[in-house]
Amino acid sequence: MKFRAAVLRSHETPFAVEEIVLSTGPAAGEILVEIAGCGMCRTDLAVRHSAGRTPLPAVLGHEGSGVVVASGDGPDSTIGLGDHVVLSFDSCGDCRNCRSAAPAYCDSFASLNLFGGREEDASRLTDAVGGALAPRWFGQSSFAEYALVPARNAVRVDAALPLELLGPLGCGTLTGAGAVLNTFRAGPGDTLVVLGAGAVGLAAVMAATAGGVRTVAVDRHPERLDLAERFGAVPLPAAKAGLAERIRRYTDGGAQYALDTTASAPLINDALRALRPTGTLGLVARLRTALQLEPGTLDGGRSIRHICEGDAVPELLIPRLIGLWQAGRFPFDQLIRTYPLADINEAERDCDAGRVIKPVLLPERRDR
Ligand SMILES: [Zn+2]
Ligand SMILES: [Zn+2]
């Protein structure tokens, strides 16, 4: 079948919205999803700086949501025709971590999601003149009108929900909220500092506020701090001196949890200095430089850990976040600005310039 998609051909070129060809329909365990919307995540844009590790040309996009229009499985499958689904990251389902309900730490996470996808997908997607496109990105490649997806990546949601806005629940929103709810299990009486008030950081702020956690948010941009404050955090400008002391002042003498979304070593060091004994620093962004720990930094049972995809089992966390949103306690939709898929380059520019927190691309609706 032929449909339109945003193709990234090289690290430097803009996205090109063009017709592409899917040569085979869903095999066993796969579904074809008509995309209603797809969030733009930092990881999509980071491909431009991936030093060639992500194969191009490719169709990116990994926060898709849509309607199942074909299935490779029979009527007994858990996800069927007409179901509304939110798509999340890919995992093998078979390794030790997948079997331990930790699919974000799948042995094959990097290869399945970032660096080439499933081997059997090679050559299934081509451009209009037969040029090969990389296999699926995060198991989906959702900057497109359709996405062919492993059914295990899809989470069914109520058909009454605004489907086109739900895609970010599959990655960025899940990452920030999951760090607070799953990794930290933060609750009333706890304190949290969030470094970076972008899509992931603000999702963490919202989840913390919903859970009664006293939260401080640090960012360089005043307008992002205004948002963090609106969602319940104490705003602290990153630029001022004495950040660790200021964090401690607003977290009852030291934060129990710190979540870094910036990969900025100076900010991370400030957050470490502001942790209380037994406090935990979670890192969701890949560090760009070495982190040098001063002696004694981790004394008092303090710890640092990496957090991928909010430690989430998407089938559990996405419905939980939707429930919080319906109760008015997790207003993630307020971070979204929608763009037609054809305007994807404008969305990227706005995202890079900090003019929008979470762009969501909407494919043009066409009669099938
Ligand atoms: Zn696995
Ligand atoms: Zn993402």
Side-chain angles (χ1 to χ4, degrees):
M1 68 184 291
K2 292 181 181 176
F3 54 88
R4 294 179 71 76
V7 178
L8 186 69
R9 294 200 172 268
S10 78
H11 297 117
E12 300 82 22
T13 51
F15 290 95
V17 177
E18 59 186 58
E19 195 155 79
I20 66 168
V21 180
L22 176 67
S23 61
T24 59
E30 290 182 332
I31 51 176
L32 182 69
V33 177
E34 182 179 8
I35 296 297
C38 182
M40 179 176 274
C41 177
R42 283 278 154 201
T43 309
D44 294 310
L45 306 184
V47 167
R48 295 195 182 279
H49 314 289
S50 71
R53 293 189 71 193
T54 295
L56 297 178
V59 178
L60 304 178
H62 63 285
E63 291 184 348
S65 58
V67 180
V68 179
V69 292
S71 169
D73 291 328
D76 296 342
S77 81
T78 51
I79 299 220
L81 294 185
D83 281 348
H84 289 204
V85 290
V86 173
L87 307 179
S88 196
F89 58 89
D90 201 2
S91 57
C92 80
D94 199 37
C95 70
R96 184 181 167 92
N97 285 348
C98 279
R99 283 186 276 115
S100 305
Y105 305 99
C106 173
D107 288 352
S108 305
F109 185 91
S111 61
L112 287 177
N113 292 291
L114 299 165
F115 300 136
R118 294 169 190 266
E119 224 168 80
E120 62 267 31
D121 291 339
S123 81
R124 290 174 92 179
L125 272 186
T126 57
D127 64 19
V129 294
L133 301 174
R136 290 177 296 211
W137 166 250
F138 277 80
Q140 42 177 300
S141 290
S142 293
F143 288 153
E145 291 175 317
Y146 292 88
L148 184 67
V149 185
R152 64 176 270 108
N153 295 18
V155 176
R156 190 170 48 222
V157 296
D158 191 321
L161 295 166
L163 183 61
E164 71 280 7
L165 302 182
L166 300 184
L169 293 173
C171 185
T173 307
L174 173 110
T175 296
V180 173
L181 300 174
N182 291 332
T183 313
F184 299 153
R185 295 181 185 275
D190 283 330
T191 51
L192 166 72
V193 55
V194 175
L195 305 179
V200 172
L202 289 171
V205 167
M206 288 179 198
T209 300
V213 179
R214 179 192 285 231
T215 304
V216 171
V218 177
D219 203 292
R220 286 177 298 161
H221 302 287
E223 61 279 14
R224 291 184 175 217
L225 287 177
D226 288 347
L227 279 174
E229 187 171 24
R230 191 201 313 169
F231 299 130
V234 173
L236 289 185
K240 287 194 188 158
L243 182 60
E245 290 69 31
R246 284 183 292 137
I247 294 171
R248 275 201 293 270
R249 195 181 321 145
Y250 289 105
T251 54
D252 296 333
Q256 183 66 50
Y257 303 109
L259 181 68
D260 177 64
T261 70
T262 68
S264 157
L267 282 185
I268 291 169
N269 277 316
D270 277 330
L272 278 169
R273 280 194 287 274
L275 278 186
R276 69 183 302 281
T278 74
T280 300
L281 165 69
L283 304 175
V284 301
R286 174 169 285 232
L287 294 174
R288 292 184 293 262
T289 54
L291 188 63
Q292 296 220 321
L293 296 183
E294 291 157 25
T297 301
L298 297 180
D299 288 3
R302 294 170 175 87
S303 58
I304 304 176
R305 62 156 293 186
H306 172 244
I307 304 169
C308 185
E309 301 285 359
D311 279 355
V313 174
E315 294 95 311
L316 300 179
L317 187 56
I318 289 174
R320 186 176 172 193
L321 296 178
I322 289 172
L324 283 172
W325 172 72
Q326 287 174 309
R329 296 168 62 203
F330 189 74
F332 75 96
D333 55 319
Q334 292 184 22
L335 304 180
I336 290 173
R337 186 193 300 170
T338 59
Y339 298 76
L341 179 61
D343 293 345
I344 185 169
N345 293 304
E346 182 188 341
E348 180 178 8
R349 282 193 296 275
D350 286 352
C351 200
D352 273 340
R355 287 189 289 268
V356 59
I357 300 285
K358 175 58 74 178
V360 169
L361 287 313
L362 307 179
E364 201 182 336
R365 199 119 312 285
R366 295 195 299 187
D367 289 339
R368 267 178 276 131

